[in-house]
């Protein structure tokens, strides 16, 4: 689906979802204390600032849809919610009796936390750059720096020009730590590698990301780190390689995407649902549940590039992965903004 299709789908989905919120308002008003919610399915709402097809939000949505398919939750959501409208949508869901809200509040931290204070019996699990807030505002982010490091090793081995490009959304900790881990992985196998880094100032602007990638390729980059949608399209058009982030896009780009660092939100989502259902929910940091030890992240299968990556490189990557899983090697968490080295 193209960008225009995403926007249209977002508008339709949002109208449909928010239109149904009022129908459960009466039930919401009768909701009791948190322990009483342990009866029946947990009512969950998602509030997203981007379309659910966007890679980051898609991981939350996928995990929640899986829980819905298992019959554990009732799930509704609103997508493409503007920052200026985010607080209203959160309040509308909380008033309607939704017991657990997921979302990402990087641009609306103050407002989102104010909502949580006003609804202390509602559980909130939000993507955030800051600390949890007692008693009911939990935080998470994609701690997938471990597989990001592994994909960096592959990128460092696959570049022929020794120039690697990285295009991100915003230079916030959640993005920075992945880019920095990727860079360190590349440097492990290729100390000569240089890096071109750019941020487009948007979470979802594929054309802008594509143009940023074109500029880097024009300056010699032959491997692109696709933190945002649009980068792999540029790589495909210019016949260079790309590294995926959060989701596996190799099926869409079989001759372009070499490897991807995958994020699995299931451990975090399932933990929160279980806590709400048991009446034991409390504010906590869900970030660590995105690490490999909790099955919250992984290196995607190499697929079409299995035979195209040198065997010795694959052996090094597998050895490093084994060390990470065994606790013998720790990928440094560096939240500082990565800088170009060329």
């Amino acid at each position: 689906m193209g960008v225009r299709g995403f926007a249209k789908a977002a508008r339709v989905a949002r109208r449909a979802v928010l239109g149904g919120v009022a129908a459960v308002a009466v039930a919401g008003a009768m909701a009791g204390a948190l322990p009483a919610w342990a009866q029946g399915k947990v009512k969950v709402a998602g509030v997203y600032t981007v379309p659910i097809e966007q890679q980051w939000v898609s991981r939350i949505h996928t995990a929640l849809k899986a829980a819905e398919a298992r019959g554990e939750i009732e799930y509704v959501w609103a997508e493409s919610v503007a920052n200026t409208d985010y607080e209203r949508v959160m309040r509308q869901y909380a008033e309607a009796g939704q017991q657990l809200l997921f979302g990402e509040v990087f641009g609306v931290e103050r407002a989102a936390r104010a909502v949580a204070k006003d609804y202390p019996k509602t559980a909130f699990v939000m993507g955030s750059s800051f600390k949890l807030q007692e008693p009911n505002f939990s935080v998470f982010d994609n701690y997938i720096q471990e597989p990001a490091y592994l994909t960096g090793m592959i990128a460092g081995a696959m570049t022929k020009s020794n120039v690697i490009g990285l295009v991100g959304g915003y230079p916030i900790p959640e993005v920075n730590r992945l880019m920095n881990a990727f860079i360190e992985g590349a440097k492990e196998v290729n100390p000569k590698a240089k890096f071109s880094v750019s941020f487009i100032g948007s979470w979802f602007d594929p054309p802008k990301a594509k143009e940023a990638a074109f500029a880097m390729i024009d300056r010699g980059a032959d491997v692109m780190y696709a933190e945002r949608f649009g980068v792999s399209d540029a790589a495909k058009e210019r016949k260079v390689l790309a590294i995926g982030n959060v989701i596996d896009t190799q099926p869409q780009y079989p001759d372009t995407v070499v490897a991807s660092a995958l994020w699995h939100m299931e451990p975090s989502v399932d933990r929160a649902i279980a806590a709400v259902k048991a009446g034991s929910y409390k504010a906590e940091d869900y970030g660590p549940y995105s690490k490999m030890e909790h099955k919250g992240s992984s290196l995607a299968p190499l697929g079409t590039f299995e035979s195209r990556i040198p065997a010795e490189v694959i052996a090094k990557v597998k050895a490093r992965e084994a060390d990470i899983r065994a606790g013998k090697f720790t990928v440094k968490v560096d939240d500082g903004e990565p800088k170009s080295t060329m």
Side-chain angles (χ1 to χ4, degrees):
M1 183 184 296
V3 177
R4 190 171 300 172
F6 285 159
K8 181 178 179 182
R11 290 193 296 271
V12 173
R14 187 175 173 212
R15 285 197 297 269
V17 171
L18 293 180
V21 169
V24 296
V26 175
M30 297 173 62
L34 187 58
W37 293 346
Q39 307 303 316
K41 296 180 181 181
V42 176
K43 295 180 179 179
V44 182
V47 186
Y48 310 123
T49 62
V50 293
I52 55 173
E53 293 89 349
Q54 189 263 5
Q55 68 261 49
W56 204 88
V57 159
S58 75
R59 308 319 294 156
I60 309 169
H61 183 69
T62 296
L64 288 169
K65 289 295 288 184
E68 180 186 47
R70 295 193 300 267
E72 298 175 3
I73 66 173
E74 295 177 5
Y75 175 46
V76 294
W77 72 92
E79 57 184 333
S80 296
V81 178
N83 284 349
T84 53
D85 204 27
Y86 203 91
E87 179 180 356
R88 182 190 66 78
V89 177
M90 287 181 69
R91 289 185 183 278
Q92 194 166 351
Y93 276 136
E95 283 289 332
Q98 299 301 318
Q99 299 156 248
L100 173 59
L101 268 67
F102 276 89
E104 13 85 46
V105 297
F106 299 105
V108 288
E109 289 278 358
R110 190 186 300 273
R113 290 167 185 268
V115 174
K117 284 184 178 180
D118 290 343
Y119 297 91
K121 293 182 180 180
T122 302
F124 297 84
V125 183
M126 297 287 167
S128 170
S129 298
F130 297 98
K131 304 286 186 180
L132 59 84
Q133 176 180 288
E134 299 286 359
N136 61 333
F137 191 92
S138 295
V139 295
F140 69 87
D141 55 36
N142 55 337
Y143 264 68
I144 63 171
Q145 62 272 4
E146 294 163 332
Y149 185 98
L150 300 177
T151 62
M153 292 178 66
I154 294 171
M158 295 297 283
T159 179
K160 295 179 180 178
S161 67
N162 288 331
V163 178
I164 299 173
L166 299 88
V167 178
Y170 294 92
I172 64 170
E174 290 71 18
V175 175
N176 296 344
R177 73 172 61 106
L178 304 188
M179 286 187 164
N180 285 322
F182 172 84
I183 289 171
E184 289 303 310
K187 288 163 62 177
E188 177 183 337
V189 300
N190 185 356
K192 296 181 180 179
K194 296 181 179 180
F195 305 91
S196 179
V197 181
S198 176
F199 297 93
I200 63 172
S202 173
W203 291 129
F204 191 72
D205 192 339
K208 192 171 183 179
K210 186 176 182 180
E211 288 304 313
F214 278 149
M216 291 180 180
I217 296 168
D218 288 342
R219 293 196 299 269
D222 63 351
V223 179
M224 295 298 306
Y225 178 71
E227 200 272 328
R228 293 291 104 193
F229 275 161
V231 177
S232 293
D233 292 301
K236 180 181 178 181
E237 287 188 26
R238 295 293 176 85
K239 300 188 185 314
V240 300
L241 302 178
I243 299 294
N245 180 58
V246 175
I247 62 175
D248 184 6
T249 54
Q250 194 183 78
Q252 290 76 38
Y253 307 92
D255 296 315
T256 303
V257 175
V258 183
S260 299
L262 305 184
W263 183 28
H264 310 294
M265 261 298 279
E266 285 77 6
S268 296
V269 164
D270 294 348
R271 180 180 179 84
I273 292 170
V276 171
K277 190 171 182 63
S280 60
Y281 178 86
K282 61 181 181 180
E284 64 177 308
D285 181 2
Y286 281 75
Y289 297 102
S290 289
K291 298 179 70 175
M292 294 180 81
E293 66 177 296
H294 295 289
K295 299 183 179 180
S297 58
S298 65
L299 178 66
L302 299 177
T304 54
F305 278 86
E306 185 81 44
S307 61
R308 297 163 65 177
I309 301 172
E312 62 271 19
V313 175
I314 293 178
K316 285 182 180 179
V317 171
K318 287 183 177 180
R320 182 58 74 213
E321 180 178 2
D323 287 344
I324 291 172
R325 292 184 181 278
K328 297 178 180 179
F329 182 83
T330 300
V331 176
K332 179 182 177 182
V333 176
D334 181 356
D335 290 345
E337 181 177 342
K339 303 296 184 180
S340 297
T341 57
M342 55 176 296

